[in-house]
Amino acid sequence: MKERVASAQIRWEQKTQRPLFGLAAVFAVAYAVPIVRPDVSTDVRGWCDVVEWTVWAAFALDYVIRLGLAEQRWEFVRSRWLDLCAVLLPMVQPLRLLRLVATLLLVGQRARMASQIRLTTYVGGSVIGLLMFGSLAVLSVERDSPNGNIHTLGDAVWWSFTTMTTVGYGDHAPTTGLGRVLAVGLMLSGIALLGVVTANIAAWFIARFEKDDAEERRQTAAIVELTEEVRLLRAEVMALRSGRAVPEQRR
């Protein structure tokens, strides 16, 4: 029974992974349109809000279904508490930024569950996603700030890139409290992703060196074995020669 429940949960996660990622891409478009084009009509803004809430609801429903398929539900909640926080986060206050944060968290959690996604692909997707959503989020917050200097999408992308790489060029910087919170999040995310990339490269080099060492040890062992066989053959040849030499001396 336990294996059947577990397999049902795994099958559900495998079948819904790509559709949920597709919904996340739709969410990205709906989130970006009112920010990139602030002059869009009210109807377009309304439809974008509907899409955002629909995507969040789909991830929330996915969480509920996975919770129902789990045999130990309390263990599921305890081990996936970040999923639960992401599901409940947009309900605290109807801010678009909270929906953005929740969707990013949920997508990240589902990506970690997918064993077929390689680490490099995950890190690359995380960098692109954080760069894009960070730029849109800070632009929506800082655009109307009287003392702000991030007024275009280009300024926001440049700021996000320098912030994620922890360079801090300084020509653009958030002036609002929420913008600075976003800056802290991007800096921490950039440090974490840089650490993952560094660890991945180091692990690749270590694995390569270990592979070379193993090959060298294998060749050394083969040479030692071959040397021992040659020594034994030489001993046998010497023994045969000694055996033939004795009768000749007797004659």
Side-chain angles (χ1 to χ4, degrees), residues 161-232:
F161 188 82
T162 56
T163 302
M164 284 188 61
T165 55
T166 66
V167 173
Y169 198 77
D171 54 345
H172 295 287
T175 58
T176 63
L178 191 54
R180 288 169 179 170
V181 171
L182 288 171
V184 172
L186 278 179
M187 285 186 283
L188 294 177
S189 301
I191 293 172
L193 289 174
L194 182 62
V196 170
V197 172
T198 304
N200 193 26
I201 294 175
W204 182 83
F205 276 110
I206 292 174
R208 185 63 182 267
F209 291 151
E210 290 180 349
K211 182 179 179 180
D212 293 342
D213 291 342
E215 181 65 20
E216 184 177 355
R217 288 194 297 270
R218 187 187 67 81
Q219 292 178 358
T220 302
I223 293 173
V224 171
E225 184 178 357
L226 183 60
T227 303
E228 182 66 17
E229 290 180 358
V230 171
R231 188 186 66 80
L232 293 175

Side-chain angles (χ1 to χ4, degrees), residues 98-172:
L98 293 181
R99 277 175 269 166
L100 166 65
V101 174
T103 304
L104 285 176
L105 289 175
L106 290 171
V107 170
Q109 291 298 306
R110 287 306 303 269
R112 279 194 289 270
M113 293 177 192
S115 58
Q116 68 269 27
I117 296 181
R118 295 183 179 180
L119 179 62
T120 304
T121 303
Y122 176 72
V123 171
S126 299
V127 170
I128 295 174
L130 287 172
L131 183 64
M132 179 182 64
F133 283 114
S135 303
L136 294 172
V138 77
L139 180 61
S140 66
V141 172
E142 295 290 326
R143 171 181 283 159
D144 298 328
S145 176
N147 300 322
N149 56 6
I150 302 177
H151 301 293
T152 65
L153 183 60
D155 294 340
V157 172
W158 171 250
W159 172 83
S160 297
F161 188 82
T162 56
T163 302
M164 284 188 61
T165 55
T166 66
V167 173
Y169 198 77
D171 54 345
H172 295 287

Side-chain angles (χ1 to χ4, degrees), residues 238-250:
M238 293 297 295
L240 290 174
R241 287 181 178 179
S242 299
R244 291 177 181 175
V246 171
E248 290 178 358
Q249 292 177 358
R250 290 177 179 176

